[in-house]
Amino acid sequence: MTDPDDSRNSDVRAAAREKARQLRTTQQRKDRRNRLLLSGGIVVGVLAVVAIVAVVIVSAIRPTVPGPKNMASDGVVVGSGLKVKSTTALAADAKPVASSPDPAGSTVDIRIYADYLCKLCGDFQRTNLKQLEPLVKNGAVTVEMHPVAIYTSHSAGTKYSLRAANAAACVANYDPNAFWKFNAALFEKQPAEGGPGLSDDVLKKRVDAAGATRTSQIDSCIDEGRFKTWVTSASDRALSGPIPNSDVKKMTNALLVLVNGKPYTGSLTSAEDFKAFVLQAQGDEYSSTGTPTPTPSP
């Protein structure tokens, strides 16, 4: 006859074995899931590393774009007859070559670093470009324009400062003698700070209105943003300094005007104030060189 106690003990042992089996099965499933998650994480990590390496390699082998012609100093030098001084395009990693002021002091050297979205820059240029134009034409003054893109993030996401400076570089490269009028046109009807700025199509229309003849090449240059990288580098150089041929260490805002290396700090809306500053700088140059210079009067 079977002992009831033996039967109960057998049932307990069987239940314990089943419970242990279930625990082992559950643990095995957890182990498999963890291994899958771990291997998946490793794969994702490896893919991320591969992607980063690929970006670095592509960036490294991407062909560099040289800077624009006629802007070896990071600026456009406009002289007698409103003609632009010709310079070759520099390699993308080359350092700019500072322009050389007239050693005899017979020509007043004016350099303007300006952002096309900057209102103060527009105030100065609208006030003074007209009175400077005849002086540049007759050779009494040279004006070196340095387009910078400091307000790139101030145009509702359109990067207008960068696009406008790129357009200016395109004009300097392909049709330099239209640069003076194009530069003036960008300030004549200047978009407001904080707004979207002008579209690329409007920039191209202003190129045409400036009398450019090689508009198809300039249009494609604007569409491609061909010199945007160069504009950014040139802007960084102006912001980090030093500023060549002057005691100014670096740009501290979106406008810097130098007359014979001396910074202009007067009214931006008074043509008479700026004219007086130019005459004073010319007189100082005469005192230091002893060479008479043409009087820069319109």
Side-chain angles (χ1 to χ4, degrees):
M1 183 174 178
T2 304
D3 188 341
D5 289 337
D6 291 340
S7 178
R8 283 195 296 273
N9 290 337
S10 177
D11 291 342
V12 169
R13 288 192 295 271
R17 285 194 298 271
E18 178 61 21
K19 184 64 175 178
R21 187 191 66 78
Q22 291 176 356
L23 290 174
R24 285 195 303 272
T25 301
T26 300
Q27 187 60 45
Q28 289 170 353
R29 289 174 179 172
K30 286 182 179 180
D31 291 341
R32 283 197 299 271
R33 184 173 67 251
N34 289 339
R35 284 195 298 272
L36 288 173
L37 289 174
L38 179 61
S39 61
I42 292 173
V43 170
V44 170
V46 169
L47 290 176
V49 171
V50 169
I52 292 171
V53 171
V55 169
V56 171
I57 293 174
V58 169
S59 299
I61 65 175
R62 184 180 298 162
T64 56
V65 178
K69 291 187 292 186
N70 311 310
M71 298 189 76
S73 65
D74 284 348
V76 179
V77 180
V78 186
S80 182
L82 297 181
K83 301 296 184 182
V84 167
K85 179 182 177 181
S86 177
T87 62
T88 58
L90 297 181
D93 56 351
K95 293 182 179 180
V97 180
S99 56
S100 300
D102 181 3
S106 59
T107 303
V108 178
D109 170 46
I110 298 176
R111 280 176 289 154
I112 304 171
Y113 295 73
D115 187 306
Y116 287 112
L117 187 61
C118 159
K119 180 182 181 301
L120 296 179
C121 304
D123 289 341
F124 174 82
Q125 299 234 15
R126 286 187 295 272
T127 300
N128 293 289
L129 284 185
K130 288 182 180 179
Q131 77 167 348
L132 285 175
E133 185 169 315
L135 306 180
V136 178
K137 280 184 177 179
N138 67 26
V141 168
T142 60
V143 174
E144 184 173 338
M145 302 285 192
H146 288 255
V148 293
I150 296 174
Y151 284 4
T152 296
S153 61
H154 296 189
S155 53
T158 71
K159 299 184 178 180
Y160 173 67
S161 291
L162 182 60
R163 292 188 294 106
N166 172 73
C170 292
V171 173
N173 186 82
Y174 292 106
D175 207 334
N177 290 327
F179 183 88
W180 180 272
K181 288 187 177 180
F182 178 67
N183 173 78
L186 292 186
F187 288 112
E188 196 60 39
K189 294 181 180 179
Q190 185 184 26
E193 291 180 16
L198 306 179
S199 67
D200 285 349
D201 286 340
V202 173
L203 288 173
K204 289 185 280 189
K205 288 179 181 177
R206 295 202 180 182
V207 169
D208 187 58
T213 57
R214 302 176 70 181
T215 52
S216 61
Q217 291 170 300
I218 296 172
D219 287 355
S220 62
C221 179
I222 291 174
D223 290 336
E224 295 171 12
R226 192 167 301 163
F227 297 118
K228 283 183 177 179
T229 301
W230 173 85
V231 169
T232 300
S233 298
S235 301
D236 289 343
R237 284 191 286 268
L239 288 170
S240 60
I243 303 298
N245 302 318
S246 79
D247 293 331
V248 178
K249 293 183 178 180
K250 61 184 179 180
M251 286 189 74
T252 56
N253 52 50
L255 175 66
L256 173 63
V257 180
L258 299 169
V259 179
N260 286 349
K262 297 180 179 179
Y264 175 64
T265 58
S267 171
L268 301 179
T269 56
S270 171
E272 287 301 315
D273 284 3
F274 184 64
K275 178 182 176 182
F277 187 79
V278 171
L279 290 171
Q280 180 183 354
Q282 183 193 36
D284 293 343
E285 186 69 26
Y286 171 72
S287 298
S288 63
T289 62
T291 303
T293 58
T295 301
S297 57

